[in-house]
Amino acid sequence: MSDFFTTIRRRHSVRHYQADMPVEAEKLHAILESAISAPSAGDLQAYQIGVIEDAAHRAALAQITEQQFISEAPVCLAFCTDAEHSALTFGDRGRDLYALQDATIAATYAQLAAAAAGLASAWVGYFDDVEVTRLLDLPPNLRAVALLTVGYPAELPEATTRRRLDDIIFHP
Ligand SMILES: Cc1cc2nc3c(=O)[nH]c(=O)nc-3n(C[C@H](O)[C@H](O)[C@H](O)COP(=O)(O)O)c2cc1C
């Protein structure tokens, strides 16, 4: 396990995976436990996480999202909001904002945990809601908002840049 700041520095999106190297069950468990330890509004955890390991499902997801690497990565996690669960406590703010924040913070924790465990990942947000809902057979209360591929890398990730801190922070 690597130090937190090293983990952050080393995490990069990876879009080619070693398809024949499975993610160890203990590592997957640690990633999922990390995800659910993320903060959430009112501690409601208004989300569900689909764990997609089946090759046919991953291939179908790759096809409908047009993101081929989903079929290469041995694991794909689907972070789904349960907006009405949050709305029961927080009304519109829970429905429109907190559920999405809960689910995506959990996905962020999972992504960092994967990096700390020596695995690679990529966040996939570009997909058709209707097709993904149908493929994952989601009940009406769930909406997939982020997919996360997880596996051992088969490429050196591309270097990415960031906007300068000065361009991002402001002091009201
Ligand atoms: C909300 C969101 C949606 C994203 N959607 C996709 C996607 O559909 N496909 C993809 O390959 N990467 C996707 N990414 C990954 C970004 O392209 C990537 O994080 C960004 O280019 C920075 O690179 P890095 O992750 O290597 O630092 C997404 C990331 C986020 C946070």
Side-chain angles (χ1 to χ4, degrees), residues 11-13 15 67 69 122-126 158 160 162:
R11 186 215 57 80
H12 299 287
S13 295
R15 298 180 180 89
Q67 313 222 31
F69 60 87
W123 186 301
V124 174
Y126 180 76
E158 281 174 34
T160 51
R162 291 297 188 264

